[in-house]
Amino acid sequence: MITKWWGGGEIFTMSADKEASEAEGRNAYCASCGIAEVDDIKLNECNHCKSVRYCGAKCQKEHRPWHKEECKKRAAELRDELLFKQPESSHHGDCPICCIPLSLDPRKATFSPCCSKVICNGCEYANLRREIGGSLQPKCLFCRLPRTALSQEIELNLMRRVEAKDPVATSKMGEIHYNEGDYDGALQ
């Protein structure tokens, strides 16, 4: 058993399991009366700061004078974290070769119609240098199929990927229809 002090100056005890759950940021006792969370007693988090828990509205109201200042600080921290949080990657995803997030600028990535992969221009450039330096036949960087310059074959590969319900290929096909002025076809 571990002894703890709470806001009112009284002592309560909790087991090591409860202490571990508290260490994770989820207090397993009421911040006002110190009652532990058990099967029949469910504790509710403070709606603003999420750092303390209460067994009821009465306890929350009684504990408010001790908690008010800390609650405001923590709520502001949570709001700032949410406001300034950077996404882990762009909505375009990551390059499948180097795993670096793809740029939001579509000119900085290359679409491969054979496998419907979008590859960053850095990886594309490195592959192109390797192919030219070694006098190799141009191949897709991801699937290693020979590249084709025939637009009909590219469109056929793209249509196969669309029929396989590939979301990247479907998006690219819609983009092609949109750029051609076929707005109805772009939405299909």
Side-chain angles (χ1 to χ4, degrees):
M1 294 295 226
I2 298 165
T3 304
K4 289 274 184 175
W5 289 90
W6 66 281
E10 297 177 21
I11 298 175
F12 70 95
T13 58
M14 68 170 65
S15 68
D17 293 337
K18 297 292 184 184
E19 180 70 16
S21 69
E22 178 183 350
E24 293 173 358
R26 304 261 318 149
N27 298 334
Y29 57 90
C30 176
S32 181
C33 67
I35 191 167
E37 182 174 43
V38 290
D39 291 338
D40 57 334
I41 299 173
K42 296 293 179 195
L43 301 178
N44 301 315
E45 288 182 336
C46 172
N47 292 330
H48 302 286
C49 70
K50 312 282 189 229
S51 63
V52 296
R53 297 171 71 183
Y54 299 101
C55 61
K58 180 182 170 214
C59 281
Q60 187 170 5
K61 193 172 185 177
E62 286 176 3
H63 189 253
R64 184 75 180 142
W66 289 284
H67 177 61
K68 186 176 182 180
E69 199 62 37
E70 187 64 33
C71 183
K72 285 182 182 179
K73 287 179 191 175
R74 182 65 183 141
E77 288 173 10
L78 288 173
R79 192 172 40 254
D80 288 347
E81 284 176 20
L82 185 62
L83 193 62
F84 296 111
K85 181 180 176 185
Q86 294 294 317
E88 290 183 15
S89 65
S90 71
H91 68 281
H92 295 293
D94 299 336
C95 173
I97 306 300
C98 65
C99 299
I100 294 176
L102 293 169
S103 173
L104 295 175
D105 185 356
R107 296 172 295 175
K108 294 184 178 178
T110 304
F111 176 76
S112 298
C114 50
C115 57
S116 294
K117 298 293 181 191
V118 179
I119 300 167
C120 73
N121 283 351
C123 291
E124 189 66 37
Y125 176 73
N127 185 51
L128 186 62
R129 282 193 63 185
R130 184 186 64 81
E131 289 173 348
I132 291 172
S135 300
L136 303 172
Q137 179 186 9
K139 293 184 178 181
C140 172
L141 184 55
F142 188 79
C143 67
R144 296 292 184 197
L145 289 176
R147 294 187 191 232
T148 179
L150 301 172
S151 62
Q152 296 155 340
E153 192 172 332
I154 290 172
E155 194 169 324
L156 182 64
N157 284 342
L158 194 56
M159 283 306 297
R160 285 188 199 133
R161 300 298 308 167
V162 168
E163 289 170 5
K165 306 228 184 287
D166 185 338
V168 175
T170 304
S171 175
K172 192 65 173 178
M173 188 57 84
E175 184 181 316
I176 290 169
H177 284 290
Y178 180 83
N179 290 338
E180 291 173 352
D182 181 14
Y183 303 115
D184 291 333
L187 294 173
Q188 293 176 350

